[in-house]
Amino acid sequence: CALVISTPVSIVSGMAAATRGGILVKGGMFLEQGRLLRCLAFDKTGTLTCGRPRLTDMVPVHADEKRAVLLAASLAARSDHPVSRAVAEGVAAETAALLPVEDVEAVPGQGMRGRMEGARYALGSRRMMAALGLDSPELEKRVTALETQGKTVAVLAGEEGVLALFAVADTLRESSREAVRELKELGVHTVMLTGDNENVARVIASQAGVDEYLAGLLPEDKLHAVERLAARGGRVGMVGDGINDAPALARADIGFAMAGGGTDTAMETADVALMDDDVRKIPRFIRLSRATYAILIQNIALALGVKALFFALTFSGHATMWMAVFADVGTALMVVANGL
């Protein structure tokens, strides 16, 4: 009885302790694997950063400011991406009424497109502008000047060309730097994955203290990045909060979702949910996994050890009925108590 119950009582106790700490684990297997994590990949926006960017700059290019603001706000309001929301909120006070948008299309990892007043407009990254044939040295210079300040730039373009630039900036979570430091102390290699440009990624990675970063990634690129990290050897974890992170969360050995402000898709895909979006709970999860494993080994050793001792006493002729009761029921109670 003691040997059979030693594993489930330890795992269930560990999962209960995790839940009390705001860490929802979807199965004992993931709690057991936590101690084996050797690499952890973080999404940037909404995971390492607060995910609430604020509009910092509006630079008209080939349009007057009021017109650019109206067009950008009308497009951005149709998207739930953090950068689009920042643009929409940042210019909300300057737009009395939004334009109706037809043929709305969200291009993953790039931006939004739609038709307003009979003309096509786009609001997105330089990658989208390049796909539309609107990238130029002048645009690169303007965008780079903002990106080197750690800002993400959304470009508004129409059929006549680039109309305006909107720069937004996100801030690092207060808990991120501490979480990364604790993970390093536990021997876990940290990687930041982001769809943002190289300049912004470099600034945030430096602030967070991660070991390496990969920038300019589309959702499928994050998936491939996790696969490459797994190919290095060891178990790989992924932390994310959005729909774009779901493929990578599913591929990782353990997927961690930011449950407070994350999407339902990320929650459903992940194996572990951080209920208050505190990434410091990940090193706590790893420590709990290691502690649970230690208790599990103790319980197995105790169960087998007492049985071995009783067998020795039996063959030597010193065993009694009360010893047998202790070796069976007593050991089972000890295993349960140790697990709890």
Side-chain angles (χ1 to χ4, degrees):
C1 291
L3 180 61
V4 171
I5 204 172
S6 60
T7 296
V9 74
S10 303
I11 296 299
V12 170
S13 296
M15 291 178 63
T19 303
R20 286 196 299 271
I23 306 169
L24 181 62
V25 187
K26 295 186 179 180
M29 177 180 67
F30 306 116
L31 181 62
E32 289 189 77
Q33 290 182 349
R35 67 185 181 87
L36 302 174
L37 283 179
R38 292 295 175 266
C39 180
L40 189 65
F42 290 90
D43 172 51
K44 180 184 77 68
T45 305
T47 303
L48 284 177
T49 64
C50 295
R52 293 187 295 273
R54 295 290 180 265
L55 183 66
T56 59
D57 301 86
M58 204 291 275
V59 183
V61 180
H62 294 121
D64 65 87
E65 184 172 333
K66 288 186 177 181
R67 178 66 177 170
V69 164
L70 178 60
L71 292 170
S74 301
L75 263 180
R78 304 298 296 271
S79 171
D80 60 356
H81 190 277
V83 173
S84 295
R85 287 204 304 266
V87 173
E89 292 169 3
V91 299
E94 303 178 40
T95 52
L98 300 177
L99 296 173
V101 186
E102 301 174 345
D103 303 330
V104 179
E105 179 187 4
V107 183
Q110 294 188 28
M112 298 286 298
R113 291 190 294 203
R115 184 181 298 278
M116 291 177 284
E117 299 179 334
R120 298 285 298 178
Y121 293 94
L123 179 69
S125 64
R126 269 188 60 205
R127 178 182 292 174
M128 172 176 273
M129 297 305 111
L132 295 174
L134 298 176
D135 202 4
S136 67
E138 179 187 356
L139 177 63
E140 180 181 2
K141 182 179 178 180
R142 287 174 179 264
V143 170
T144 302
L146 293 167
E147 289 177 346
T148 51
Q149 301 173 37
K151 299 173 182 178
T152 301
V153 181
V155 183
L156 174 67
E159 295 175 352
E160 62 270 40
V162 174
L163 303 178
L165 307 180
F166 296 84
V168 303
D170 201 356
T171 55
L172 192 72
R173 289 182 187 271
E174 293 182 4
S175 59
S176 295
R177 192 178 293 104
E178 184 178 346
V180 170
R181 177 182 58 77
E182 291 183 23
L183 287 167
K184 289 183 178 181
E185 292 174 355
L186 292 170
V188 178
H189 183 78
T190 54
V191 184
M192 185 184 80
L193 309 179
T194 177
D196 258 329
N197 60 82
E198 180 79 15
N199 294 318
V200 173
R202 187 187 305 111
V203 172
I204 298 298
S206 175
Q207 292 175 355
V210 294
D211 295 309
E212 64 176 298
Y213 67 90
L214 299 172
L217 303 180
L218 297 173
E220 58 267 28
D221 297 328
K222 292 182 180 180
L223 169 62
H224 299 325
V226 170
E227 290 175 342
R228 290 194 298 271
L229 292 172
R232 297 180 182 177
R235 300 298 173 90
V236 176
M238 171 69 190
V239 194
D241 71 318
I243 296 174
N244 290 347
D245 304 318
L249 288 170
R251 171 58 183 85
D253 294 296
I254 303 180
F256 298 86
M258 309 292 276
T263 63
D264 291 341
T265 303
M267 281 280 291
E268 291 171 8
T269 306
D271 309 304
V272 179
L274 308 180
M275 302 312 294
D276 60 358
D277 290 355
D278 187 349
V279 288
R280 289 175 297 187
K281 283 184 166 44
I282 298 176
R284 291 177 198 168
F285 169 80
I286 295 175
R287 292 193 194 96
L288 180 62
S289 175
R290 294 179 180 182
T292 302
Y293 178 74
I295 295 293
L296 176 59
I297 295 301
Q298 289 174 18
N299 282 348
I300 292 174
L302 181 64
L304 294 178
V306 170
K307 295 294 185 185
L309 177 61
F310 179 71
F311 276 131
L313 291 172
T314 300
F315 287 118
S316 67
H318 294 88
T320 66
M321 179 60 70
W322 288 112
M323 289 183 184
V325 172
F326 172 77
D328 185 40
V329 179
T331 307
L333 292 175
M334 290 175 65
V335 164
V336 171
N338 191 40
L340 292 175

